[in-house]
Amino acid sequence: MATRVLTCLAVLLAAVQAAGGDGEPDLPEEERELAFGAQVVTLNEQNFEHLTQAATGATSGDWLVKFCKESERRCGRVEATWARLAVQLAASREAKGLPRINVAVVDTKESPWLAKRFGISNVPVVLLFKGGVMYSFQGGGFSTERLMQFAERDFERASRMLVPPEPHVATPHDQTFLTTIGTVGAGALVLWLVDQGLLSFYKMQKRKRKAAAKASKETSGAD
């Protein structure tokens, strides 16, 4: 256990010593791999609930998720921070013997339903999904240190709400089914309109025949 703790601390120290200027340099690939398989998971509308189980708070653990899009300049500045966060957070949790906090990112341009589900209109936004509750990171500064503090303890003071239930997103099968139903419904409507038209026509013809017969009788009586 002591050896593992020392190793974790060494990883964290190396990351801090590598910092220069604003303290947010890119980590070498081998250092990222060293920190216990840390990774940034890409989530989208298809895999979000399956991987996070956010609404149920079930078995996949806590998830720290950044919502961004490529066209937003601030998201580009947070990108390097996010990769480093995954490494340092994994090392920190391992050193403390605590369960890992999953680190992930969502492209809101590619997954607009997720942005709508969580009420996100401006990016970047960071949410912690924990036990069926989502906590919102506040404060603006996306430094690794502040994000780690938020993920591990400061979330308790953050604004929170229950995770909204997963909306139904139509699959290709659903879309085909709905298209078929719509086509059948449109066809049925056309047939109904034709039937009503024919019914009106037959009624009109019947009235004309009755009128003609009545007129013929009146003419015969007059003779």
Side-chain angles (χ1 to χ4, degrees):
M1 179 66 183
T3 301
R4 186 172 64 177
V5 170
L6 290 174
T7 301
C8 296
L9 292 176
V11 171
L12 290 172
L13 180 61
V16 173
Q17 290 176 341
D22 60 358
E24 301 289 350
D26 290 333
L27 285 174
E29 189 64 31
E30 60 272 14
E31 186 172 309
R32 296 183 189 180
E33 294 177 357
L34 180 63
F36 317 103
Q39 61 177 325
V40 176
V41 180
T42 299
L43 299 174
N44 53 46
E45 291 169 356
Q46 285 68 46
N47 66 10
F48 186 93
E49 197 63 33
H50 174 70
L51 293 179
T52 67
Q53 301 181 41
T56 61
T59 59
S60 66
D62 301 342
W63 287 78
L64 186 66
V65 184
K66 175 189 66 173
F67 294 82
C68 263
K69 57 184 176 182
E70 291 185 2
S71 59
E72 175 60 48
R73 287 190 302 173
R74 291 183 63 200
C75 287
R77 292 197 293 268
V78 178
E79 188 68 27
T81 299
W82 212 245
R84 180 168 47 258
L85 173 65
V87 174
Q88 296 189 13
L89 189 56
S92 173
R93 303 293 287 184
E94 182 74 11
K96 298 172 184 176
L98 296 173
R100 177 173 297 183
I101 297 175
N102 302 288
V103 177
V105 61
V106 171
D107 186 332
T108 56
K109 182 178 180 180
E110 298 295 329
S111 299
W113 276 100
L114 287 179
K116 183 177 181 179
R117 176 184 178 185
F118 300 121
I120 297 171
S121 55
N122 297 307
V123 293
V125 168
V126 174
L127 298 176
L128 175 67
F129 296 90
K130 181 181 180 70
V133 178
M134 64 182 195
Y135 302 82
S136 179
F137 176 77
Q138 305 289 340
F142 292 92
S143 68
T144 303
E145 181 180 2
R146 292 197 60 197
L147 288 166
M148 286 185 64
Q149 290 174 351
F150 167 72
E152 295 195 284
R153 61 177 183 274
D154 289 352
F155 70 87
E156 296 177 349
R157 300 194 296 270
S159 60
R160 70 196 67 185
M161 64 178 291
L162 293 176
V163 177
E166 180 184 15
H168 179 72
V169 179
T171 65
H173 179 272
D174 294 333
Q175 294 171 353
T176 301
F177 175 77
L178 292 174
T179 300
T180 302
I181 291 298
T183 303
V184 172
L189 177 60
V190 171
L191 291 175
W192 181 82
L193 291 174
V194 171
D195 182 67
Q196 292 299 307
L198 290 173
L199 183 61
S200 298
F201 174 77
Y202 291 143
K203 286 182 177 179
M204 185 187 305
Q205 292 299 314
K206 187 176 182 179
R207 285 196 299 268
K208 285 182 178 181
R209 286 196 297 270
K210 285 184 178 181
K214 183 178 180 181
S216 177
K217 287 181 179 180
E218 290 176 351
T219 301
S220 298
D223 292 341

